Amino acid sequence: MNIKDWQAIIFDFDGVIVESGDIKTQAFAELYHSYGEQVVTEVVRYHRQNGGMSRYHKFRYFQQHLLGQPSLTMDEEQSLDQRFSELVIEAVIASQAVPGAEALIQKAATTIPLFVASGTPENELKTIVERRGLSPHFTEVRGSPLSKQTLIAEILTSYALIPEQVLMIGDAMADYHGATMNGTAFLGRVRPGDENPFPRQVKIVPDLCALTL
């Protein structure tokens, strides 16, 4: 896959640009620690199986289907969100980059527009991208509460991009579904040692080094 083959590239963030997946997993475990080991185990399982999904959807799922409690109020959801952010934001800013990611971004940004479409809340995501010094390389950084499918659709429409000429790079099925529903190309990133979540026909890479050649 050559950069010149694409009109634009859309990146997921966690697990594609930075190695922050484990940080988010630990944060969910910490948030629900007081409910006991069984709940924490299910929280971690659901989080890992639903990579790319907004944390807000996960909070609501845990509240209703795991804890069996009334729906979260807006204040309760914001409190969970703030606590989660406090647990992860500095760690994500300091986390290692996925090998090849920063080199690819710096190289590609000189020739085509680059975007981020992530399940991380948009304001938090923009802070992280800026603190990591990556903001100048991206045309736009987009995050939740909108779904991955909607984010990709809005990027395609706003910048008059041809879906077949746009590459989405993601590490979760939410990324794959978002790309597929919008008709873009897709490349899956699967960290060495992790289980491949994608259908057999999806091309995967262990890192982004090959894209920088």
Side-chain angles (χ1 to χ4, degrees):
M1 288 189 174
N2 193 302
I3 294 171
K4 296 178 182 178
D5 295 336
W6 307 108
Q7 187 182 20
I9 300 176
I10 303 173
F11 295 82
D12 178 40
F13 192 75
D14 296 302
V16 172
I17 294 177
V18 295
E19 298 283 25
S20 49
D22 290 342
I23 294 169
K24 301 293 180 74
T25 301
Q26 292 165 6
F28 273 112
E30 177 65 24
L31 273 187
Y32 292 90
H33 175 75
S34 62
Y35 293 99
E37 185 175 339
Q38 185 174 351
V39 168
V40 169
T41 298
E42 180 61 20
V43 163
V44 168
R45 184 198 66 79
Y46 186 84
H47 166 64
R48 286 176 171 164
Q49 289 185 350
N50 293 276
M53 178 188 288
S54 165
R55 72 180 63 156
Y56 307 119
H57 290 292
K58 294 176 183 178
F59 292 153
R60 294 164 195 162
Y61 177 87
F62 299 148
Q63 183 77 2
Q64 296 178 34
H65 300 282
L66 194 55
L67 304 180
Q69 297 183 4
S71 299
L72 290 166
T73 66
M74 185 177 295
D75 286 344
E76 289 171 337
E77 188 169 292
Q78 289 177 348
S79 177
L80 281 171
D81 182 44
Q82 182 175 348
R83 289 165 57 199
F84 190 94
S85 181
E86 290 169 354
L87 288 169
V88 303
I89 189 166
E90 292 299 332
V92 173
I93 290 167
S95 63
Q96 291 187 333
V98 170
E102 292 182 349
L104 171 61
I105 290 166
Q106 291 168 5
K107 179 180 179 181
T110 63
T111 58
I112 58 175
L114 306 180
F115 303 88
V116 176
S118 170
T120 299
E122 193 163 293
N123 288 339
E124 179 180 314
L125 179 66
K126 288 180 175 178
T127 296
I128 293 169
V129 171
E130 182 177 357
R131 293 269 304 274
R132 290 186 69 98
L134 297 174
S135 294
H137 303 302
F138 289 106
T139 299
E140 194 169 3
V141 173
R142 300 295 308 276
S144 65
L146 296 179
S147 69
K148 196 68 60 92
Q149 180 180 338
T150 301
L151 293 175
I152 295 171
E154 290 189 354
I155 289 169
L156 295 175
T157 300
S158 297
Y159 296 91
L161 299 170
I162 301 169
E164 296 82 3
Q165 296 180 19
V166 174
L167 175 64
M168 171 73 194
I169 306 176
D171 71 332
M173 285 300 292
D175 304 317
Y176 173 68
H177 288 313
T180 301
M181 294 301 292
N182 283 288
T184 73
F186 181 78
L187 177 66
R189 191 266 166 150
V190 180
R191 185 174 60 173
D194 286 358
E195 183 178 349
N196 179 9
F198 302 113
R200 187 174 302 175
Q201 73 273 15
V202 174
K203 179 177 176 58
I204 62 171
V205 290
D207 52 50
L208 303 188
C209 293
L211 279 73
T212 64
L213 301 178

